[in-house]
Amino acid sequence: MTEIYDAAIIGAGHNGMAAAGYLSRAGKKVVVVERMEKVGGMTSAGYMIPEAPDYLVTPCAVELLFARGSGIIEDLELKRHGLTTVDPDPTYAYLHPDGRSIALFRDYKRTADDIARIHPGDAKQYLNFMEVMDAMMDIGFPIMMAEPGRPELRNIGKIIKNTIRNVKLKDKLLAISKATADQVACEWFEHPATIALLNGIAAGAGPVDEDGNAAAYMIFAVTHRLGTGKPIGSLQAFADALAKSITETGAKILLNAPVAEILIEDGEAKGVRLSDGRVLRSKVVIATSDPKTTFTLTTADTIDRQLVKRIEHVPSNRSNAAPLLANIAMQSPLRLKKHQDMRHDDADLNKAVGLMGLADDVRESFAAARRGDIPSRHAVSLTPLSNSDPSQAPDGCSLAYLYLPAIAVDARDGWSQELKNRTMASIIDQVSEYYDGFQHEVGRFVETAREREKRLNVSNGCVTHVDFGALRAGQHRPATGFGGPKPAVPGLFLGGAGSHPGGGVSGIAGRIAAKRTLRYLKNS
């Protein structure tokens, strides 16, 4: 007889494995199918530089910021399964061209003191700003954790309690939630360095000139309160711990198993057909792939045409701006040239994420991407991976993770190898103004959005699957009719970054999909 699973989960990324973990702990029979040869998806890492085979490359995410508050680490006992983390303090540092810096410490009052050296007025404003950001986190995090359309009483209670406690800040919260990130930075602060710090961090959530993007500033409160959590052994160690956890409780993981079809029969999802012809029957399918990819896999002509078209128009890097990600392997230490020497305290900026680029560089990066152009100066952050985790590079060597929040998905004349090399040369020239070590480069891994699309099978290389925005939140993420407690297609649940609460390494989307699946199985 054909084996029937309670749930077939597409994708062994962190959300897929989170869903599997909660379901298997509830006694359900679960199989996770993954097209790649290893678990992790966008949280995977590996030795991917032929010229530097001993350097552990992290192609996408590097931190566990939101996972720290989601409960996934505790619920799935990931520390018991090998997860260990390190928290450099300061976590981030804005590097001004003149050698001065602003360090983002876990203690936001110490951060304000650091700003005071550059602009006393901005330091006072930072304390006021953090009062509002703390309120935003107190209200926003329970909303992130809640299932859209069916919030838990516990989360409702937290939201109401925190809203009442912060009622005096409601006008400021409303103004920030509706504004652009750039607008808020310029409204609240005056010095170019402070404004650049804010824009540089907000750019990671999307264009800083789009309404509603300023909600990304909640990351300040999350960082101060939770720390970033960089896994020892890269995020692959996080993915591997998840895999050990879920297989211990009975879930099965199939690698090198791309899905050819999500089987829709009599209007319901009934399992998946793999590319090698195997059919896995299941009562429910949870897709953590991006929504556009998911619905192209469904059995032809089985889903309402209007729903199909609605998904086809879901925005994924709609502005033509997407992160460019690179790992640079160096046969020497990576050290700041002057910013560390100009510090007045014992803060080690060589372990912090270095933010480079003025506010105008952030603005121009998005404007140039929309035109299909490559800017001459870049907004870029550098994570010195091996400075906080030496295991990621050979002794005496270093590995840097470069993140540019906005480079054209499709360049004006296409992404030729010559353009890619020229772009990387300009980036390396710029970061070399700040850091010493790049002159000893031995190899690199660089991925444009189109290359990421091909490697990870994600539309337009969109790391968040669906663009952020007030109109694509909650029940309306990824589109109206697809984010509520009842699936648009019976038995087919979305549980990846394209569903609530969105991108970022948290596992919340997977856990919500598991809750919905358990309720569906109980009622079916």
Side-chain angles (χ1 to χ4, degrees):
M1 293 181 64
T2 302
E3 187 175 28
I4 298 179
Y5 294 93
D6 291 306
I9 300 175
I10 302 173
H14 74 284
N15 276 311
M17 289 193 287
Y22 286 104
L23 288 172
S24 60
R25 277 167 170 72
K28 301 305 177 183
K29 190 174 184 179
V30 180
V31 61
V32 182
V33 293
E34 169 57 50
R35 66 188 290 270
M36 298 174 69
E37 62 184 10
K38 65 171 68 175
V39 298
M42 287 190 185
T43 58
S44 65
Y47 298 92
M48 304 167 69
I49 304 176
E51 305 86 352
D54 298 325
Y55 294 74
L56 183 54
V57 169
T58 304
C60 291
V62 295
E63 298 174 345
L64 291 175
L65 180 62
F66 286 99
R68 284 286 186 84
S70 72
I72 181 177
I73 294 173
E74 297 76 17
D75 293 347
L76 303 186
E77 303 178 278
L78 300 188
K79 291 183 179 179
R80 184 169 66 82
H81 290 284
L83 176 65
T84 58
T85 58
V86 62
D87 279 283
D89 190 17
T91 53
Y92 295 91
Y94 169 70
L95 308 176
H96 205 52
D98 65 7
R100 291 182 291 175
S101 56
I102 298 176
L104 194 67
F105 296 96
R106 286 289 297 273
D107 182 351
Y108 69 82
K109 293 180 180 178
R110 188 178 178 188
T111 302
D113 289 341
D114 216 41
I115 295 173
R117 294 184 304 109
I118 293 178
H119 195 286
D122 280 0
K124 293 179 181 177
Q125 275 291 79
Y126 191 79
L127 295 175
N128 296 329
F129 183 69
M130 281 310 306
E131 181 184 15
V132 180
M133 291 303 101
D134 276 334
M136 181 174 285
M137 181 177 174
D138 288 340
I139 298 169
F141 218 92
I143 292 175
M144 287 175 58
M145 297 284 287
E147 180 184 339
R150 192 186 174 95
E152 297 176 357
L153 291 177
R154 181 176 60 180
N155 278 324
I156 293 176
K158 287 181 180 178
I159 294 168
I160 294 173
K161 178 183 176 181
N162 292 330
T163 301
I164 293 173
R165 188 175 74 245
N166 294 292
V167 67
K168 65 179 181 178
L169 300 174
K170 66 180 179 68
D171 290 339
K172 292 179 180 179
L173 285 165
L174 182 63
I176 289 176
S177 67
K178 300 294 184 182
T180 71
D182 193 16
Q183 172 192 326
V184 168
C186 294
E187 275 186 24
W188 280 77
F189 302 102
E190 297 182 39
H191 196 277
T194 322
I195 294 171
L197 167 68
L198 266 75
N199 268 339
I201 288 181
V208 296
D209 56 356
E210 289 189 0
D211 290 338
N213 182 271
Y217 286 135
M218 189 177 78
I219 194 173
F220 279 88
V222 178
T223 301
H224 283 307
R225 202 177 297 184
L226 302 177
T228 54
K230 292 179 171 62
I232 299 297
S234 79
L235 274 188
Q236 186 65 54
F238 170 67
D240 290 344
L242 274 168
K244 291 176 183 177
S245 172
I246 69 173
T247 54
E248 181 184 74
T249 53
K252 182 187 294 186
I253 301 175
L254 301 181
L255 301 176
N256 296 307
V259 172
E261 181 182 3
I262 298 173
L263 302 172
I264 308 295
E265 300 171 358
D266 298 323
E268 296 184 22
K270 296 293 185 180
V272 297
R273 177 173 59 82
L274 303 181
S275 294
D276 62 9
R278 283 180 291 171
V279 172
L280 305 177
R281 292 284 176 179
S282 62
K283 300 173 184 177
V284 162
V285 174
I286 298 176
T288 63
S289 47
D290 80 270
K292 288 186 178 182
T293 299
T294 296
F295 281 89
T296 62
L297 294 173
T298 55
T299 303
D301 302 321
T302 58
I303 298 176
D304 180 81
R305 179 183 176 278
Q306 286 188 324
L307 294 180
V308 171
K309 294 300 177 182
R310 198 175 296 172
I311 287 293
E312 287 178 2
H313 285 78
V314 163
S316 301
N317 292 335
R318 177 178 281 172
S319 66
N320 198 44
L324 176 74
L325 308 174
N327 280 235
I328 310 297
M330 290 159 281
Q331 206 167 21
S332 68
L334 177 69
R335 293 288 183 266
L336 283 163
K337 288 183 173 181
K338 59 183 178 181
H339 290 80
Q340 183 65 45
D341 292 339
M342 290 181 65
R343 290 295 301 180
H344 63 295
D345 55 15
D346 61 353
D348 187 358
L349 301 192
N350 284 300
K351 291 184 179 180
V353 177
L355 299 170
M356 291 157 279
L358 299 170
D360 279 343
D361 296 326
V362 177
R363 296 165 187 142
E364 175 58 18
S365 66
F366 285 102
R370 292 184 181 113
R371 301 191 303 265
D373 295 333
I374 309 300
S376 57
R377 297 288 293 181
H378 305 278
V380 56
S381 69
L382 183 153
T383 302
L385 294 171
S386 53
N387 286 0
S388 55
D389 177 13
S391 71
Q392 296 187 39
D395 290 343
C397 302
S398 55
L399 182 67
Y401 168 89
L402 302 181
Y403 179 95
L404 283 80
I407 290 288
V409 175
D410 295 308
R412 184 185 297 273
D413 297 316
W415 272 105
S416 64
Q417 189 60 49
E418 188 276 333
L419 176 61
K420 187 176 176 182
N421 292 341
R422 182 156 38 92
T423 300
M424 282 306 301
S426 69
I427 294 168
I428 297 298
D429 284 347
Q430 183 174 331
V431 297
S432 294
E433 297 170 10
Y434 297 79
Y435 289 88
D436 187 49
F438 287 97
Q439 69 271 31
H440 301 293
E441 178 185 337
V442 292
R444 61 178 66 167
F445 175 89
V446 182
E447 191 168 69
T448 64
R450 288 299 177 202
E451 290 169 325
R452 185 163 55 248
E453 177 181 54
K454 182 177 180 180
R455 182 174 67 88
L456 294 174
N457 198 29
V458 58
S459 297
N460 292 334
C462 185
V463 295
T464 58
H465 291 189
V466 177
D467 296 343
F468 284 113
L471 298 181
R472 300 281 174 179
Q475 294 191 71
H476 301 287
R477 186 172 180 87
T480 300
F482 291 89
K486 292 184 178 181
V489 178
L492 176 57
F493 292 89
L494 302 180
S499 56
H500 175 84
V505 182
S506 70
I508 299 173
R511 180 167 63 184
I512 289 174
K515 287 183 179 179
R516 288 176 166 171
T517 295
L518 289 171
R519 191 167 59 246
Y520 184 88
L521 292 174
K522 181 179 179 180
N523 296 330
S524 60

